[in-house]
Amino acid sequence: MTDKKEPAGRRQERVGVVTTAKMEKTVVVAVERLVRHAFYRKTIRRTSTFMAHDELGAHAGDRVRIVETRPLSRHKRWRVTEILERATAEAAAIQG
């Protein structure tokens, strides 16, 4: 018989903007999501930050895709899979 193992679960993927790239091979990525307020029904913008392992060399202001992975350190559970958009020189000068 051919028993093929299927992955137990699909890894989560998020797209966000790199806010800090001052560590070695680690970046902090801010991911925004829209949530509707339970009572007032107004849409609110919420931001979550994730520490991600970066082998690609992302800089502050870059738009990146991160994927869930095994724990790499105390705070890192994500890694950068691709850089979707590089930061412009003006945006980099404003941020840092």
Side-chain angles (χ1 to χ4, degrees), residues 20-82:
T20 306
K22 295 182 178 181
M23 297 168 272
E24 289 184 22
K25 296 188 180 180
T26 303
V27 293
V28 177
V29 180
V31 177
E32 287 188 348
R33 68 186 199 283
L34 297 176
V35 178
R36 185 174 295 275
H37 193 279
F39 183 76
Y40 295 111
R41 298 290 187 220
K42 179 177 179 179
T43 304
I44 305 168
R45 189 183 313 259
R46 295 285 186 190
T47 305
S48 301
T49 58
F50 300 99
M51 293 183 83
H53 185 71
D54 176 35
E55 292 280 344
L56 304 176
H59 299 292
D62 291 354
R63 188 169 194 77
V64 296
R65 182 184 318 276
I66 58 174
V67 67
E68 198 174 25
T69 186
R70 65 183 174 85
L72 299 171
S73 69
R74 181 177 164 199
H75 296 291
K76 283 199 294 188
R77 272 95 175 114
W78 297 82
R79 67 184 150 83
V80 177
T81 55
E82 66 176 312

